[in-house]
Amino acid sequence: MDRDTLKVLISAEQIEERVKELAEDISRDYKGKKPFLVGVLKGAVIFLSDLIRNMDIQLEVDFMAVSSYGADTTSSGIVRIQKDLEQSVKGRDVLIVEDIVDTGLTLNYLCENINSQRPNSLRVVTLLDKPDRRKVKFEADYCGFKIPDLFVVGYGLDFNEDYRQLNDICILNL
Ligand code: IMP
Ligand code: MG
């Protein structure tokens, strides 16, 4: 890995502290319920695994994989489901767990898709949010960090499948 191209934006310690706070907020808000957490593959896996280990309520986990259609993944606006949920979310309290909200197109689509299955409730937790890049109106219910319009990698986030294993969230200068 070429460390020269990477600059730490959010350290592992900052992430750990914020993930604990999010887990506490979510555990409090869902007390007495058993939320159905939907992790968005692959970027959200590390966030989800740290989040749930800090939650002290009953919960279930499932995963979805989506991809933007076409070569320009951020601007096409067409989202395709590559892996769907294995269980029904009808009547469940669904919490989508995502790594980052950028244009908002992915979560906009995912929320519409899940809402059409009649959950009891639907919320979104995202570790990162780049509000400057929105193409559609979208606001997550829980957000770890708002960041400027920079391309970041690490803690699950990739560039062409590289850098997911970094403990810090880093700015990638190509
Ligand atoms: P959106 O549909 O534009 O909101 O895109 C969200 C998806 O784009 C995320 O789930 C990521 O997979 C990817 N993405 C957006 N920004 C970044 C970034 O800075 N680093 C890595 N992946 C990103
Ligand atoms: Mg993602």
Side-chain angles (χ1 to χ4, degrees):
M1 254 183 302
D2 185 1
R3 301 291 312 194
D4 292 343
T5 60
L6 300 168
K7 184 170 166 282
V8 176
L9 179 69
I10 307 170
S11 70
E13 292 73 27
Q14 289 173 291
I15 298 168
E16 188 185 350
E17 193 181 324
R18 187 70 186 115
V19 170
K20 275 187 189 152
E21 288 173 358
L22 288 171
E24 281 167 20
D25 290 349
I26 294 166
S27 298
R28 188 191 57 236
D29 294 352
Y30 286 88
K31 200 170 170 80
K33 294 177 181 165
K34 190 179 182 185
F36 187 93
L37 273 62
V38 175
V40 186
L41 295 172
K42 303 169 196 173
V45 283
I46 297 179
F47 174 42
L48 181 138
S49 59
D50 282 345
L51 186 74
I52 61 173
R53 285 179 295 173
N54 283 285
M55 287 174 64
D56 60 359
I57 55 169
Q58 296 267 36
L59 57 89
E60 280 180 52
V61 172
D62 202 346
F63 292 96
M64 280 181 89
V66 294
S67 71
S68 299
Y69 201 67
D72 184 356
T73 52
T74 54
S75 64
S76 70
I78 303 165
V79 180
R80 221 177 12 172
I81 294 182
Q82 295 190 314
K83 183 214 170 296
D84 210 340
L85 297 171
E86 279 162 23
Q87 289 148 269
S88 165
V89 294
K90 192 162 188 269
R92 300 299 306 267
D93 293 299
V94 179
L95 179 64
I96 298 177
V97 182
E98 177 62 302
D99 51 0
I100 187 164
V101 189
D102 187 24
T103 62
L105 291 165
T106 305
L107 278 170
N108 203 45
Y109 173 83
L110 274 178
C111 287
E112 267 177 32
N113 179 283
I114 288 181
N115 266 328
S116 73
Q117 300 170 52
R118 306 289 200 95
N120 182 55
S121 67
L122 175 61
R123 286 184 187 169
V124 173
V125 56
T126 185
L127 179 68
L128 304 173
D129 187 357
K130 285 198 265 194
D132 299 345
R133 298 247 317 157
R134 270 317 179 280
K135 285 188 179 157
V136 288
K137 198 169 175 283
F138 184 86
E139 184 103 44
D141 301 275
Y142 306 92
C143 170
F145 303 92
K146 289 209 196 296
I147 63 167
D149 180 10
L150 298 164
F151 196 84
V152 291
V153 293
Y155 198 69
L157 290 118
D158 74 306
F159 172 67
N160 287 345
E161 298 300 323
D162 287 335
Y163 305 115
R164 291 193 197 276
Q165 77 272 35
L166 301 178
N167 288 313
D168 307 307
I169 290 169
C170 299
I171 301 163
L172 181 67
N173 290 308
L174 298 169

